[in-house]
């Protein structure tokens, strides 16, 4: 049965917020879209006249759908080929959601999304709803069917887990871009030492190829190991050009609020490398090359003018 126009409009007004919540909970844009669509189907089937606060009802339904999805996703990721990383969202993507505070910006960064994978589904839900969207514990408790005190305790545990694995601090955007450009200059110099100087001693590099694109199953750890890998990654070669499907245009951009290197071939995004930049240097690289997780990035890339690439690789 078709919904009245007013009820459809009410849902559509909530869609951007629902998608932003679902993305932070699931780390996948495509799964977030599916969860929001399922929420719409439930909205369509509900007795809306009896729904006192539509926004709260929608958030509760969506969150519980995502919690169920997270439980099954854990089992799937145990058999995932190689490292699992979130799906990157390029600058301007509405699914990134609010970015007015440091907590909101941090909650969608690649580093924190990866850390959220360590949390239980309920810890992740409380962390996202409170830190990224500012829900009071009273509302979170109603969404998760727990007490307000339990919600506060869950948040305390979640924040402790995130803080333990976090190295990120906010760096001025212009300064971050300069660091990325310095990194690319060093990576294409053919020498390891300039790269080592840009990295923190405990730098790591993680790649997600999903079994479809070559990516090392184990992270590179330590400045020299990461620098050696990056030097080889940017070294020209016919085999690399063939694997990429052509000449790669290398752009400096932003993904999930982090400075990023975006690799593009004929308008198709084939790789997004997010850099975790600290005042001490580059602490991490998270390289998403799984083509299944770059479809949305490609659509977003095509919708905007990004100017000339910094250089062409291979």
């Amino acid at each position: 049965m078709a919904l009245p126009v007013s009820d459809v409009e009410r849902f559509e007004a909530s869609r951007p917020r629902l998608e932003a919540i679902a993305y932070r909970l699931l780390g996948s844009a495509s799964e977030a879209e599916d969860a929001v669509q399922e929420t719409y189907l439930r909205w369509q089937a509900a007795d809306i006249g009896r729904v006192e606060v539509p926004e709260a009802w929608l958030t509760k339904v969506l969150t519980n759908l995502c919690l169920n999805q997270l439980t099954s996703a854990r089992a799937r990721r145990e058999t995932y080929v190689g490292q699992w990383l979130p799906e990157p969202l390029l600058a301007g993507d509405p699914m990134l959601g609010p970015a007015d505070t440091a907590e909101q910006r941090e909650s969608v960064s690649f580093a924190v999304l990866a850390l959220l994978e360590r949390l239980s589904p309920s810890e992740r839900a409380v962390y996202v709803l409170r830190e990224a969207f500012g829900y009071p514990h009273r509302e979170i408790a109603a969404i998760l069917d727990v007490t307000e005190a339990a919600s506060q305790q869950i948040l305390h545990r979640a924040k402790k887990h995130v803080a333990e694995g976090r190295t990120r601090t906010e760096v001025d955007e212009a300064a971050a871009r300069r660091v990325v450009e310095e990194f690319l200059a060093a990576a294409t110099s053919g020498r390891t030492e300039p790269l080592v100087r840009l990295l923190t001693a405990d730098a790591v590099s993680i790649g997600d190829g999903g079994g479809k694109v070559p990516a090392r199953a184990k992270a590179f750890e330590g400045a020299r190991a990461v620098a050696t890998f990056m030097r080889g990654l940017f070294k020209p070669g016919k085999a690399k050009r063939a694997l990429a499907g052509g000449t790669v245009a290398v752009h400096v951009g932003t993904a999930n609020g982090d400075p990023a290197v975006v690799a593009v071939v004929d308008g198709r995004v084939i790789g997004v490398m997010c850099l975790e930049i600290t005042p001490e240097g580059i602490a991490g690289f998270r390289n998403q090359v799984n083509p299944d997780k770059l479809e949305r990035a490609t659509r977003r890339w095509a919708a905007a003018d990004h100017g000339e690439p910094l250089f062409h690789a291979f």
Side-chain angles (χ1 to χ4, degrees):
M1 181 172 140
L3 285 175
V5 172
S6 60
D7 290 333
V8 174
E9 289 177 343
R10 181 174 289 172
F11 182 87
E12 290 304 322
S14 296
R15 184 184 290 274
R17 177 179 58 85
L18 294 174
E19 287 189 342
I21 291 172
Y23 172 72
R24 283 169 167 81
L25 287 175
L26 300 173
S28 165
S30 58
E31 290 179 5
E33 289 173 340
D34 290 345
V36 172
Q37 185 58 28
E38 179 61 29
T39 302
Y40 175 75
L41 295 177
R42 306 248 178 136
W43 174 249
Q44 192 176 41
D47 183 356
I48 295 176
R50 300 182 63 181
V51 176
E52 294 183 7
V53 185
E55 289 74 16
W57 188 94
L58 291 170
T59 303
K60 183 179 178 71
V61 170
L62 174 79
T63 301
N64 282 286
L65 286 169
C66 289
L67 289 176
N68 292 337
Q69 181 77 358
L70 281 172
T71 301
S72 62
R74 286 194 163 196
R76 290 200 312 275
R77 286 169 193 170
E78 287 178 2
T79 60
Y80 191 81
V81 178
Q83 299 277 345
W84 184 93
L85 288 174
E87 184 174 344
L89 298 181
L90 299 181
D93 194 314
M95 198 175 278
L96 287 168
D100 299 325
T101 67
E103 290 78 13
Q104 289 172 338
R105 292 189 293 274
E106 184 177 70
S107 71
V108 79
S109 73
F110 239 47
V112 168
L113 284 176
L115 287 172
L116 293 184
E117 288 292 305
R118 302 179 184 180
L119 305 184
S120 69
S122 61
E123 287 173 340
R124 187 164 183 163
V126 172
Y127 183 90
V128 167
L129 292 171
R130 180 64 182 163
E131 294 296 292
F133 294 90
Y135 279 81
H137 282 290
R138 173 178 48 81
E139 292 183 23
I140 296 173
I143 290 169
L144 298 179
D145 293 323
V146 298
T147 65
E148 191 170 338
S151 176
Q152 293 170 340
Q153 290 171 355
I154 292 169
L155 177 66
H156 177 74
R157 288 200 307 269
K159 291 177 73 172
K160 185 173 184 290
H161 290 320
V162 171
E164 285 172 352
R166 179 173 155 253
T167 59
R168 185 178 187 267
T169 54
E170 291 212 57
V171 177
D172 174 75
E173 185 176 342
R177 183 182 177 90
R178 287 196 298 273
V179 173
V180 177
E181 291 176 349
E182 287 176 18
F183 157 70
L184 288 171
T188 54
S189 70
R191 296 182 296 126
T192 303
E193 290 307 321
L195 276 167
V196 172
R197 288 195 292 270
L198 291 174
L199 308 179
T200 61
D202 58 351
V204 297
S205 177
I206 302 170
D208 178 351
K212 300 186 176 184
V213 173
R216 193 169 187 256
K218 187 177 179 182
F220 290 93
E221 299 181 356
R224 186 157 295 278
V226 172
T228 301
F229 165 67
M230 290 296 170
R231 185 192 66 187
L233 181 65
F234 285 93
K235 185 177 180 180
K238 290 182 179 179
K240 291 179 184 176
R241 189 173 186 277
L243 180 64
T247 299
V248 180
V250 178
H251 294 259
V252 177
T254 304
N256 293 70
D258 294 322
V261 177
V262 183
V264 182
V265 175
D266 296 330
R268 175 173 56 90
V269 176
I270 66 164
V272 176
M273 176 189 291
C274 289
L275 280 70
E276 186 176 355
I277 297 177
T278 72
E280 292 75 34
I282 304 173
F285 299 86
R286 291 172 176 82
N287 316 311
Q288 185 55 263
V289 292
N290 182 346
D292 293 343
K293 296 183 181 182
L294 295 171
E295 293 178 358
R296 185 181 179 94
T298 293
R299 294 196 300 271
R300 294 293 306 176
W301 189 265
D305 179 15
H306 301 278
E308 292 298 313
L310 195 62
F311 62 88
H312 289 89
F314 314 144

